Amino acid sequence: MSTKYIFVTGGVTSSLGKGIICASLGRLLVARGLRVTVQKLDPYINVDPGTMNPYEHGEVFVTEDGAETDLDLGHYERFLDIKTSQENNVTTGRIYNDVISKERQGAYLGKTVQVIPHITDEIKSHIVALGESDGYDVVIVEIGGTVGDIESLPYIEAVRQFRYDVGRENTLSIHLTLVPYLSAARELKTKPTQHSVKTLSESGLQPDIIVARSEHELDESIRKKISQFCNVEVADVIASLDAESIYQVPLLMQGEGLDERVIKKLKLDAGVPDLERWIGFVEAVRNPSTEINIALVGKYVEHHDAYKSIVEAFIHAGAVNGCAVNIRWIQSDHLTKDNVKDKLRDISGILVAPGFGGRGIDGKLSAITYARTNNIPFFGICLGMQCAVIEYARNVCGWPEANSTEFDEHTEHPIIDLMPDQKNIEDKGGTMRLGLYDCKLKKGTKAYAAYGEELIHERHRHRYEVNNNLRYKLVEEKMILSGFNPERDLVEIIELKDHPWFLGVQFHPELCSTVNNPQPLFVDFVKASLEHAREHDLNIPVDGERIVVSET
Ligand code: GLN
């Protein structure tokens, strides 16, 4: 079977959940035994989102091969249980960068370099390269942005050409659109969908399936109307209603027959779907036996997408432990020594988040002191781990000025410092320690107990490290360095012995947590937090109504 390509465009507005629809369709096809991957084409000029502010773009998702990519790739990995790579995310910036480099090398000698065919050819070559990279049955290609945007045009044109290149029967076009409900008229409106399909058609791309996002059930007459005006069969109008959890969306899409229609149209050789584990997971998420409150202390907490993978890893780990994790978002700027006790009341665990720059560091340090001295489970990720080391150096090792050179270049005790090979780098894009690295665990530690094996591999995204010249002091004062990168002898994990669960990691464990493979440290942290809640009478039994913790 040759590779089939499904192109997913979006119309009317952003935020319709295109990434989740692609991931859900992917899950349904994987459940039928097909080899599937998903690619995101982003229309912005940045070469990758690595240099964007989390407020601007949300989390930067790092792949195993060290690419800084769109957070939708996180959904693809979590839903399909696959690993993505640089090839799964292409931006306009990267396409132009590559074309311009080729032009300078003389690849187009004698020619005028143009959007059509040079840019469109480059886009198509990235789509094919992914399809051919691993013998996939299906590549789902999500086209970022909204149809009609100037930025999306080269992508739509590339898809139009692509359908001719590989044969229409090997491709499918799915258009995600909005069917709004006007309460004054008490009616669902199809006009925005008609317009959006018209705009798409003007670019030469006709949808085969329409996924209509709506807050209300689409009745037969609405489906017929969309079918007639948009030139698709009634069965190809798929309703996408709001779901309680994103993990329900594959099941809702299956109910609407999305996978059936795709299989039929592409003549895919697919088995019967095996969704037993998925359904079990969704049931566990929907019916927790208890709830706990975990504080997420960070700098970008107003924008929850900045911590997307952490939130999802908590959902996976909660399901394993039979509990729902309520995240209390704590702006690190607002935390002080004096208010920490009040802001962190009723909290069963504290996570200090990754981040960059000095803003809010004092608040993070206050939260860590509070967790350490009150035996509250603590999990520090990347910057969160670096802060735990600074806190320990200051308050236990007796170096009150200890700091990271990221915040104080001239500190007497730079307990966190730049790696020597980072010191001369001036470019900001793609220059961190990125991607998968080995980590060797010390037996008898909490980290080893969680993973149950000695050599693990986790993804990284940082410049600074625990300073190898000063780390002796941490060890002298009984901090346990429980994981090291064997090639470069870098500290990867720290923990405390006389504490129920106090652990910091230099890597990003949240990035590899999936529904079928919840990340072990998250599972153990939630377990420890659950025990803390039980001991201190903090867990809240679920008795019908979900308790919503106020956001700080
Ligand atoms: N700013 C820190 C560094 O670059 C931590 C980065 C992070 O938390 N991802 O090392």
Side-chain angles (χ1 to χ4, degrees):
M1 192 165 80
S2 62
T3 308
K4 311 274 181 170
Y5 296 86
I6 301 173
F7 296 98
V8 182
T9 51
V12 184
T13 172
S14 57
S15 308
L16 292 180
K18 217 178 332 146
I20 298 294
I21 293 294
C22 290
S24 298
L25 175 59
R27 166 41 53 192
L28 292 176
L29 298 179
V30 166
R32 288 170 176 272
L34 294 164
R35 285 180 55 74
V36 186
T37 191
V38 193
Q39 184 175 46
K40 174 93 189 268
L41 306 181
D42 272 315
Y44 50 73
I45 312 289
N46 302 60
V47 172
D48 63 42
T51 52
M52 282 189 225
N53 188 318
Y55 288 119
E56 189 81 18
H57 186 270
E59 170 187 278
V60 173
F61 188 81
V62 181
T63 55
E64 286 196 342
D65 62 342
E68 297 177 279
T69 71
D70 187 80
L71 58 76
D72 274 332
L73 271 75
H75 291 310
Y76 308 157
E77 290 205 3
R78 288 186 282 270
F79 275 58
L80 280 75
D81 233 334
I82 54 166
K83 302 291 179 211
T84 57
S85 73
Q86 175 72 77
E87 270 314 323
N88 291 74
N89 193 195
V90 175
T91 70
T92 296
R94 195 156 144 236
I95 297 284
Y96 272 81
N97 208 21
D98 290 351
V99 168
I100 291 168
S101 305
K102 282 189 195 165
E103 186 272 335
R104 291 290 81 187
Q105 287 158 11
Y108 314 110
L109 275 188
K111 295 271 183 251
T112 307
V113 180
Q114 292 177 302
V115 173
I116 304 171
H118 301 99
I119 295 296
T120 48
D121 279 354
E122 191 69 24
I123 295 171
K124 289 191 289 179
S125 75
H126 278 283
I127 299 171
V128 172
L130 178 61
E132 290 178 351
S133 65
D134 208 2
Y136 291 109
D137 299 318
V138 179
V139 180
I140 300 170
V141 183
E142 176 186 351
I143 295 153
T146 307
V147 165
D149 293 349
I150 292 175
E151 292 92 338
S152 307
L153 282 174
Y155 288 117
I156 305 282
E157 169 60 15
V159 173
R160 186 193 68 76
Q161 294 174 18
F162 193 92
R163 298 196 83 181
Y164 280 98
D165 296 350
V166 303
R168 251 189 111 80
E169 67 286 1
N170 293 318
T171 68
L172 199 70
S173 158
I174 298 181
H175 188 56
L176 177 62
T177 165
L178 177 71
V179 177
Y181 181 75
L182 283 193
S183 37
R186 295 224 198 102
E187 249 181 358
L188 285 166
K189 291 292 180 191
T190 63
K191 205 56 117 194
T193 296
Q194 295 175 37
H195 277 295
S196 168
V197 170
K198 192 168 159 221
T199 310
L200 188 64
S201 303
E202 277 165 7
S203 308
L205 200 58
Q206 167 69 32
D208 299 306
I209 293 176
I210 290 180
V211 176
R213 181 78 193 260
S214 176
E215 286 175 2
H216 293 267
E217 193 55 64
L218 303 188
D219 64 22
E220 208 48 34
S221 68
I222 292 283
R223 288 177 197 253
K224 268 199 190 130
K225 200 165 169 189
I226 295 174
S227 153
Q228 266 170 358
F229 278 104
C230 302
N231 215 8
V232 296
E233 286 178 48
V234 177
D236 292 326
V237 178
I238 305 288
S240 165
L241 304 186
D242 293 349
E244 229 175 86
S245 148
I246 53 169
Y247 296 103
Q248 277 172 271
V249 178
L251 306 177
L252 295 176
M253 288 300 105
Q254 190 190 31
E256 283 285 308
L258 177 62
D259 52 339
E260 289 279 353
R261 298 305 290 171
V262 167
I263 287 164
K264 185 162 175 256
K265 284 171 187 291
L266 285 175
K267 301 193 174 60
L268 289 167
D269 187 8
V272 286
D274 175 6
L275 285 161
E276 209 181 302
R277 242 177 118 180
W278 191 273
I279 292 168
F281 167 76
V282 171
E283 287 302 309
V285 171
R286 294 186 71 196
N287 303 302
S289 49
T290 185
E291 302 195 18
I292 51 169
N293 300 325
I294 287 186
L296 193 156
V297 182
K299 180 164 112 171
Y300 317 105
V301 290
E302 298 87 355
H303 191 45
H304 298 180
D305 270 1
Y307 304 108
K308 192 88 209 157
S309 293
I310 293 179
V311 173
E312 301 306 323
F314 272 133
I315 296 174
H316 308 155
V320 177
N321 284 290
C323 76
V325 176
N326 288 326
I327 294 180
R328 188 183 292 174
W329 301 91
I330 308 274
Q331 171 57 259
S332 46
D333 263 358
H334 300 166
L335 271 185
T336 63
K337 262 192 219 116
D338 300 327
N339 69 14
V340 67
K341 194 169 171 212
D342 179 45
K343 293 240 185 214
L344 298 180
R345 75 192 174 281
D346 302 339
I347 284 293
S348 303
I350 298 171
L351 183 142
V352 175
F356 294 83
R359 180 164 74 81
I361 293 297
D362 287 343
K364 290 181 178 174
L365 295 177
S366 303
I368 294 166
T369 311
Y370 182 71
R372 184 174 59 76
T373 54
N374 290 284
N375 284 332
I376 300 169
F378 164 80
F379 195 9
I381 298 184
C382 209
L383 180 62
M385 174 264 209
Q386 297 175 353
C387 286
V389 169
I390 296 169
E391 195 275 338
Y392 205 75
R394 286 187 186 180
N395 299 331
V396 181
C397 301
W399 288 344
E401 301 304 320
N403 215 333
S404 164
T405 48
E406 183 177 4
F407 320 126
D408 178 3
E409 266 185 70
H410 307 293
T411 170
E412 199 185 323
H413 292 111
I415 191 73
I416 306 291
D417 197 8
L418 269 188
M419 295 183 283
D421 56 357
Q422 290 278 0
K423 288 198 170 153
N424 299 321
I425 297 177
E426 284 184 5
D427 276 4
K428 290 284 182 233
T431 55
M432 283 188 259
R433 183 176 178 222
L434 286 165
L436 203 68
Y437 285 92
D438 289 347
C439 169
K440 200 162 173 223
L441 304 179
K442 231 184 235 163
K443 288 194 173 150
T445 58
K446 288 191 181 75
Y448 184 82
Y451 283 99
E453 54 189 327
E454 214 176 337
L455 190 65
I456 57 142
H457 323 273
E458 292 278 3
R459 299 182 208 181
H460 291 248
R461 181 173 188 252
H462 60 107
R463 290 197 169 81
Y464 294 81
E465 300 282 350
V466 174
N467 187 335
N468 278 351
N469 297 328
L470 298 182
R471 76 187 199 203
Y472 72 92
K473 190 74 177 167
L474 302 170
V475 178
E476 259 176 35
E477 296 298 335
K478 305 212 164 28
M479 176 169 261
I480 296 170
L481 311 182
S482 50
F484 286 92
N485 172 258
E487 285 88 40
R488 302 181 55 190
D489 187 33
L490 296 171
V491 176
E492 295 278 2
I493 313 181
I494 59 107
E495 56 185 82
L496 295 182
K497 202 164 182 195
D498 301 320
H499 188 286
W501 210 91
F502 188 104
L503 199 141
V505 290
Q506 185 58 80
F507 48 80
H508 288 268
E510 71 277 19
L511 299 178
C512 70
S513 190
T514 71
V515 167
N516 288 339
N517 284 304
Q519 209 284 337
L521 295 175
F522 273 88
V523 172
D524 261 26
F525 174 54
V526 170
K527 190 167 162 229
S529 304
L530 203 52
E531 272 158 28
H532 181 89
R534 282 200 186 109
E535 274 164 29
H536 296 79
D537 253 350
L538 294 174
N539 55 328
I540 313 153
V542 178
D543 52 359
E545 215 187 347
R546 269 306 268 287
I547 295 135
V548 179
V549 177
S550 63
E551 302 199 348
T552 310

